[in-house]
Amino acid sequence: MVPGRPGSDLNWWCGVGCALGLLGGSFSCADLPADSPSQFGKESAIDPDGVSVTATSPDVQAPGATEPGLGTEGAGCVTAVGEGEGEFHCEGIDYRVSAPSSCLQQPCGLIADIHGGTMNGRMQNNNTELARLGTEHGFVVVHPSAPGGLWTSRDDVRVVAFLREVIDAYWIDPRRVHLTGFSQGGFMTWRLLCSHGDLFASVAPGAAAGTGNISPEVGCTFTGEDIPAAPLDVLYLHGRTDALVNFDHWSTLFANLSTHWMLD
């Protein structure tokens, strides 16, 4: 939970555990209460009156992972490759990269975890614990920190460029690249679904629908040309009484998404 965010007190780590379940981990969402995020199979959805999940894509088709030159200088801004935690600065954004030792010896997945407004990557990880979970489940985890703590759409291309450098530097299976984000990070997650959906196997935005009181930024609207290039697995999480991003905005987004992906 993020301190000072009324209404956002969904069980965030539980939601992230569901995301890891979607990615092939061992976490089960079966015991979540009715108001909590749920996971459904492909081509399924629940009514927007509940916290909603859609999962629509076929199995991701991508080439196999290519073994990097482990222990070398990395790629681009990723100046070193090794197990544990590394910190990098690239194009004005700071990044924490956590990698289990197993990812130096065999292909691993990648999760990017994007923080909300006025936060940073370390605070985001304190809530999601994805660095720890990634180590347990065989994922490299990237936590970017926005300049001044606030994201804008201008940061999207820089974050994507860094993720591509991580993919090049580490032994990443391109079929297991995933994205999640909270609030402003959730809006970025939606936008990257529309603009770079080919990079990800799934996305899990949280508390990000319509517009928020602290930012004019919006995500993927699923209207006009603002649509993903192909179907993709989506897990969405939102507290019903969120004071900064109105939960009711999800109804509009859900309707547009359902129409575009022709969900029942």
Side-chain angles (χ1 to χ4, degrees), residues 1 9-22 26-33 35-39 53 126-130 132-133 180 204 235-237:
M1 294 180 288
D9 53 348
L10 53 85
N11 196 334
W12 187 255
W13 73 264
C14 199
V16 170
C18 284
L20 283 174
L22 179 66
S26 60
F27 192 95
S28 172
C29 302
D31 296 328
L32 290 181
D35 284 347
S36 298
S38 304
Q39 179 183 340
V53 179
N126 288 344
N127 286 282
T128 64
E129 298 188 15
L130 269 178
R132 177 184 62 80
L133 291 169
T180 186
L235 170 72
Y236 183 66
L237 311 94

Side-chain angles (χ1 to χ4, degrees), residues 19 42 82 101 108 110 114 131 160 199-200 217 221 230 252:
K42 292 183 175 69
S101 59
C108 275
L110 172 66
I114 316 297
V160 168
L199 181 62
F200 304 105
E217 299 293 337
T221 62
T252 300

Side-chain angles (χ1 to χ4, degrees), residues 163-186:
L163 293 179
R164 293 190 187 278
E165 291 183 357
V166 172
I167 292 170
D168 289 341
Y170 285 86
W171 197 355
I172 300 298
D173 183 345
R175 297 165 298 182
R176 299 173 62 207
V177 178
H178 309 274
L179 177 65
T180 186
F182 174 72
S183 193
Q184 275 197 344

Side-chain angles (χ1 to χ4, degrees), residues 74-213:
C77 293
V78 183
T79 54
V81 174
E83 67 176 283
E85 183 179 302
E87 296 187 357
F88 306 94
H89 184 79
C90 192
E91 299 294 325
I93 299 176
D94 292 322
Y95 297 86
R96 296 175 65 210
V97 177
S98 301
S101 59
S102 60
C103 294
L104 303 181
Q105 296 145 10
Q106 61 187 16
C108 275
L110 172 66
I111 302 173
D113 187 15
I114 316 297
H115 68 75
T118 73
M119 296 172 62
N120 58 38
R122 190 174 297 276
M123 293 173 66
Q124 178 73 0
N125 184 58
N126 288 344
N127 286 282
T128 64
E129 298 188 15
L130 269 178
R132 177 184 62 80
L133 291 169
T135 296
E136 294 177 1
H137 292 269
F139 286 85
V140 173
V141 177
V142 176
H143 284 102
S145 292
L150 296 173
W151 296 110
T152 74
S153 58
R154 295 187 299 274
D155 297 315
D156 294 0
V157 64
R158 293 186 287 178
V159 170
V160 168
F162 183 81
L163 293 179
R164 293 190 187 278
E165 291 183 357
V166 172
I167 292 170
D168 289 341
Y170 285 86
W171 197 355
I172 300 298
D173 183 345
R175 297 165 298 182
R176 299 173 62 207
V177 178
H178 309 274
L179 177 65
T180 186
F182 174 72
S183 193
Q184 275 197 344
F187 286 116
M188 179 184 288
T189 300
W190 282 120
R191 291 195 301 272
L192 295 187
L193 166 61
C194 267
S195 62
H196 294 85
D198 60 318
L199 181 62
F200 304 105
S202 74
V203 298
T211 58
N213 294 343

